[in-house]
Amino acid sequence: MTSLNTQLWELISNYKMPADASGLPFTEQLMAENSISRETADVAITEYRKYMYLCATRAERNVPSKAVDLVWHLHMQHSRDYWDGFCKALGKQVHHTPGGQGSQHLEDYKATLAAYKDLFGRPPKGIWKQNSKVGAFFTLIFLTVFVFFSSNAIAQGENTLLGILFLAIPLYTIIATLNSLTTKGEFTLIFGGNDPFADDDAGDCGSGDGDGGGCGD
């Protein structure tokens, strides 16, 4: 397991995020801009700090979730604070470049999450996307078949339920096996989601790499 640079992490975790021109704290700016609770905003900012630690310490390209990217965008609007204060604390100029939806972008995202887990453990619910499109697809098929046969069972009597059980168990086993055999069942990025701060809609582009470049460089 990679060890955490505690001195750098303390600098990042204790860095005071900038207020706007009217004196509105950064957390409240994020709340107002995204219509989220203070608790969600606090978690998102903490995850942004963790992501920027990865950008400061990893030579590889780093890709944040969509929620983290939104915090990043807001921070970069405070350009003097971001470049002259925060990046100075990082010891590195971390630039932002929009990413894409290609396979390499997804691989970079998965690698970023792996590095995150190595340092910080499993990410909290929401903020980071962990979804299996393949699993959801097969689950939908399973539920459709189950509902269809269940409705027939109810119409014909209770004895048919035993037959449904024998059908459902092997079908579910096949679904689970197929899902485990495909790499598409791993981490998935969802673009243009409705709620980037929820589990079912996170993941987008933007990153920093060893040369200060962004996602896609």
Side-chain angles (χ1 to χ4, degrees), residues 40-217:
T40 299
D42 286 339
V43 173
I45 292 170
T46 297
E47 294 307 299
Y48 167 67
R49 294 180 191 274
K50 293 176 182 177
Y51 170 73
M52 295 306 286
Y53 175 91
L54 294 176
C55 290
T57 56
R58 294 183 75 233
E60 297 83 1
R61 192 158 46 219
N62 298 285
V63 180
S65 69
K66 187 171 184 177
V68 171
D69 195 46
L70 288 173
V71 182
W72 193 1
H73 275 265
L74 179 60
H75 195 183
M76 291 190 77
Q77 291 178 32
H78 300 268
S79 59
R80 289 187 181 86
D81 182 89
Y82 179 79
W83 293 112
D84 300 337
F86 191 63
C87 286
K88 185 175 181 179
L90 292 177
K92 178 178 177 181
Q93 298 290 296
V94 182
H95 293 268
H96 181 290
T97 302
Q101 299 188 30
S103 58
Q104 185 56 55
H105 186 64
L106 175 57
E107 291 304 312
D108 290 338
Y109 179 73
K110 289 159 60 178
T112 303
L113 268 175
Y116 175 108
K117 286 185 173 183
D118 196 31
L119 286 167
F120 302 109
R122 188 170 183 82
K125 291 191 65 178
I127 312 300
W128 293 93
K129 177 64 184 174
Q130 299 175 66
N131 183 55
S132 168
K133 287 184 176 180
V134 175
F137 174 73
F138 281 119
T139 300
L140 180 61
I141 292 177
F142 171 76
L143 290 174
T144 302
V145 172
F146 186 79
V147 169
F148 173 76
F149 281 98
S150 294
S151 61
N152 286 341
I154 293 172
Q156 296 176 21
E158 295 182 0
N159 290 338
T160 314
L161 291 175
L162 187 59
I164 295 173
L165 186 61
F166 280 113
L167 175 65
I169 292 175
L171 180 60
Y172 183 82
T173 303
I174 292 172
I175 290 171
T177 303
L178 288 174
N179 186 43
S180 67
L181 291 175
T182 174
T183 56
K184 292 180 181 179
E186 296 174 356
F187 295 109
T188 311
L189 294 181
I190 303 298
F191 296 87
N194 295 322
D195 184 2
F197 295 93
D199 276 336
D200 41 339
D201 287 306
D204 201 359
C205 54
S207 70
D209 67 14
D211 298 320
C215 177
D217 289 353

